[in-house]
Amino acid sequence: MAFRPGPATVARPHLFGERPELPDPLAQIVSLLQPDLSYAKVVEAAGCWRIRRVENGFAFFFAALAGAVRLDIKGQQTLLIERGDFVLIPAACEFTSSSIDGAPASGRDSMPVEIRPNVFRLGDQMGEPDVRMLVGHCAFASPDAALLVSLLPSLIHARGEPRLTTLIQLAVEESRGERAGRDVVLARLMEVLFIEALRSSGPHCPSGILRGLGDERVAAAMRAIHERPTAAWDVPGLAKAAAMSRSAFFERFRRTVGMAPMEYLLHWRMVLAKRLLEDGKMAVAEIARQVGYSSASTFSVAFSRHVGATPTIYARQRSVADVSERATLAQPEPVSAFG
């Protein structure tokens, strides 16, 4: 997905004339993440079963189509996932899914059996399935995915949002077809899916960009950063945008977003700088100006401290790494029912 400098915007009709377009930080972040549907499978289950997953940071999702599932995520409380629920873990590491009646008597993890193409069975192979799920994971094409994901909640559990299941079903259908425009349609579906899932959990997040956007004062400062990343922002200037005192704004922003205002500004500028470097269409001096630095040397020092490489070296490394990353995204689907 090509990157175009400038804020993402959301235009809405207005009864009394045109309304100025507002920057949308959430849309910008999801767009920069470039979520890609790596694979998805239908999983049916009957009786007692358990699947343990040790993940490598991919975004994991599943939609409960029928029945109920117990979900145990390391470091979090046990969740009961029921029909119609949608779960998204932006950076899954270790979790266990099991029947609500408990694990198998043997104490062993269940072995999924593929009974039809892309359909797996867990537990009792002969009994009528009482659980049906659509599960899978996404990869992020952005090389700065770790930073962007850190701004998102670690777990999204949406109830009563059937459109999320519809979106993922549409994405799976599109991914398995060969129709014209497939890649563009799939990219948009995944972006919409992520935005809808994130919006559904915004007010309940302990911290992060969604919690920040839910706070009117903090959101004003965040939108100012995303609208004008080139501005000479400092804490007093951002506090003014939020209509707060400097000290009250600093503490509220840090507590709500999970990082200090200037740290957030630096991270966002580096995200934009990396994308412009990967695009390869601008000189370092021009990129420096695009992300708010007065000179190429000042930008290079800040970039090197943040990334661990000079802008020129980073751009060269990314051009080589892109080939390897595309090969990774194209790997065949794993055999396990949960990847």
Side-chain angles (χ1 to χ4, degrees), residues 1-6 32 34 143 270-284 286-287 290 303 311-312 314-319 322 326:
M1 183 183 302
F3 171 74
R4 295 179 177 83
L32 288 171
Q34 301 174 63
M270 292 300 107
V271 167
L272 298 179
K274 285 182 176 182
R275 186 53 53 86
L276 291 169
L277 286 166
E278 291 154 23
D279 199 36
K281 296 179 180 179
M282 294 184 184
V284 171
E286 178 59 25
I287 292 174
Q290 288 281 334
F303 189 91
T312 302
Y314 175 84
R316 190 181 306 128
Q317 290 173 339
R318 288 307 309 167
S319 65
D322 280 346
R326 283 194 293 268

Side-chain angles (χ1 to χ4, degrees), residues 7-71:
T9 56
V10 175
R12 295 184 177 90
H14 194 257
L15 292 176
F16 303 101
E18 293 188 357
R19 166 182 288 179
E21 294 183 337
L22 299 175
D24 187 341
L26 180 57
Q28 285 183 318
I29 288 175
V30 172
S31 178
L32 288 171
L33 271 172
Q34 301 174 63
D36 176 77
L37 181 62
S38 299
Y39 79 92
K41 292 175 169 60
V42 172
V43 178
E44 298 176 348
C48 294
W49 56 273
R50 181 179 66 194
I51 285 286
R52 195 184 312 273
R53 182 185 179 99
V54 178
E55 189 49 271
N56 55 2
F58 283 136
F60 174 83
F61 66 82
F62 77 83
L65 307 178
V69 177
R70 175 190 173 106
L71 181 63

Side-chain angles (χ1 to χ4, degrees), residues 87-98:
V87 173
L88 173 64
I89 309 175
C93 292
E94 182 178 340
F95 61 92
T96 301
S97 301
S98 61

Side-chain angles (χ1 to χ4, degrees), residues 182-223:
R182 169 186 174 276
D183 290 346
V184 174
V185 171
L186 186 56
R188 295 298 177 267
L189 280 171
M190 293 308 297
E191 288 182 3
V192 172
L193 172 67
F194 265 72
I195 290 173
E196 288 287 352
L198 292 166
R199 288 198 306 192
S200 72
S201 66
H204 310 293
C205 297
S207 65
I209 186 172
L210 295 178
R211 183 69 182 274
L213 292 175
D215 184 308
E216 183 179 355
R217 300 293 182 87
V218 173
M222 293 176 68
R223 290 194 175 98

